[in-house]
Amino acid sequence: VIIIVSGISLLTYTLGQIARIFIEGELQRLLGRRKLERQIASQQDHFIICGFGRIGEVISRELADENIPFVVIEKDEQKIEHLEREHFLYLAGDATDEKVLLQAGLERSKGLVTAVSSDADNVFITLTAKELMPDIFLLSRAADLKNERKLLRAGATRVVCPYNMGGSRMADILKKPTVVDFLDTTLTSGALGLRLEEAVIQANSSLVGKTLLESRLRKDFGVMIVAIKKSEKEMLFNPGPDAVLEAGDVIVAIGKQDDLVRMADILT
């Protein structure tokens, strides 16, 4: 009798512990998913990254380093586990599904990146996103350079072919190693404390209507104005002192981080 009672008690306790582990684990996953959904629903002016492969992961890390909000859409279970370890906001699903894009906050987003491995899927995502949000900024990845034109016709704002860009950069290192070293040292590694940034001149800025010389940007903030992108898509490289600043212009400048932030405050 003692053995029977002990055995039943031990079995009941063991099964209870196993059930508790499964129930608590499922409950934690359920609460985690709901928390994630609430966080995604609260996002504004964020970027949506479709695909968390090698390209998508690099983009995510770069945005995370700059504290730029983003949401990743991924359907691969192993990559989803990676996203959880990185504590990135993600949505488990197929980015070609318009319901998933809307759930990721497409209507509230600042832009969308298609970085899945298949060019056909990138084209389909581009078509779907443009149908839902015709004015959205859409950056697409092309594995094959010949598909670049197809993505542009589908509605992509910009198309990047990583393999082509990588080859061009390797060629630049061979042809112009000093130039590449300078760009890497000043703009990428930050060894000199310099950054290349852009800022939009808002309509209420005190600099609207002034020339570059009158704006005193270089004198007051110690920044170098590399280019001015006009609202009509015209690009002025190395603008002269008589260049007039207008609302909607995008200033591209090189300088120290603090100086660039102070300059952006004046522009906006």
Side-chain angles (χ1 to χ4, degrees):
V1 171
I2 293 173
I3 293 173
I4 292 173
V5 173
S6 300
I8 293 174
S9 300
L10 180 61
L11 179 61
T12 303
Y13 176 78
T14 303
L15 293 176
Q17 290 297 313
I18 294 173
R20 183 178 64 83
I21 291 172
F22 279 108
I23 292 172
E24 287 183 354
E26 187 62 32
L27 184 61
Q28 287 178 353
R29 283 194 292 270
L30 180 62
L31 293 175
R33 283 197 297 268
R34 289 183 177 176
K35 181 181 179 181
L36 203 60
E37 290 172 0
R38 289 196 300 269
Q39 289 177 324
I40 292 174
S42 66
Q43 294 296 305
Q44 294 282 348
D45 293 328
H46 60 291
F47 290 101
I48 299 174
I49 303 171
C50 302
F52 194 67
R54 287 176 294 179
I55 301 298
E57 182 176 356
V58 172
I59 295 172
S60 299
R61 291 187 183 280
E62 291 287 337
L63 294 180
D65 289 343
E66 295 293 333
N67 295 318
I68 298 174
F70 65 93
V71 176
V72 179
I73 299 176
E74 180 56 63
K75 60 182 179 179
D76 186 275
E77 287 295 334
Q78 291 184 342
K79 294 177 181 177
I80 288 174
E81 291 177 1
H82 189 183
L83 283 164
E84 290 178 345
R85 289 194 299 269
E86 297 291 343
H87 302 290
F88 292 156
L89 283 183
Y90 74 91
L91 190 62
D94 189 348
T96 60
D97 187 345
E98 64 179 44
K99 293 181 180 178
V100 175
L101 291 176
L102 291 173
Q103 192 176 352
L106 181 68
E107 296 173 327
R108 307 183 307 275
S109 67
K110 190 175 182 179
L112 183 140
V113 180
T114 65
V116 298
S117 57
S118 169
D119 282 355
D121 286 343
N122 284 326
V123 171
F124 197 87
I125 295 169
T126 301
L127 288 170
T128 305
K130 276 294 182 178
E131 183 180 3
L132 295 171
M133 291 286 293
D135 297 331
I136 191 171
F137 175 83
L138 211 154
L139 176 62
S140 293
R141 168 189 183 265
D144 194 332
L145 190 59
K146 67 182 180 182
N147 293 324
E148 179 181 5
R149 187 170 297 178
K150 295 178 182 177
L151 285 162
L152 290 172
R153 285 203 300 266
T157 311
R158 298 282 295 274
V159 179
V160 174
C161 183
Y163 299 111
N164 188 58
M165 291 185 64
S168 298
R169 179 168 174 79
M170 293 175 72
D172 286 338
I173 292 174
L174 297 176
K175 295 184 298 181
K176 300 170 287 186
T178 305
V179 173
V180 174
D181 288 343
F182 169 76
L183 293 175
D184 288 344
T185 302
T186 57
L187 305 181
T188 305
S189 67
L192 299 181
L194 300 178
R195 295 178 64 89
L196 182 65
E197 293 287 353
E198 64 177 58
V200 181
I201 301 178
Q202 302 296 331
N204 59 350
S205 172
S206 60
L207 301 183
V208 174
K210 293 184 178 181
T211 65
L212 202 56
L213 180 62
E214 293 170 341
S215 69
R216 297 170 57 91
L217 290 176
R218 181 163 188 171
K219 186 174 182 180
D220 292 346
F221 304 105
V223 299
M224 182 185 301
I225 307 301
V226 178
I228 301 176
K229 183 179 180 181
K230 309 298 286 185
S231 56
E232 62 271 13
K233 306 301 182 182
E234 177 190 1
M235 184 73 78
L236 301 178
F237 292 100
N238 191 24
D242 297 330
V244 179
L245 303 177
E246 300 173 340
D249 288 354
V250 181
I251 299 289
V252 181
I254 295 178
K256 294 183 178 180
Q257 178 67 24
D258 294 340
D259 294 334
L260 291 169
V261 170
R262 291 191 298 114
M263 182 195 75
D265 291 338
I266 296 296
L267 297 178
T268 57

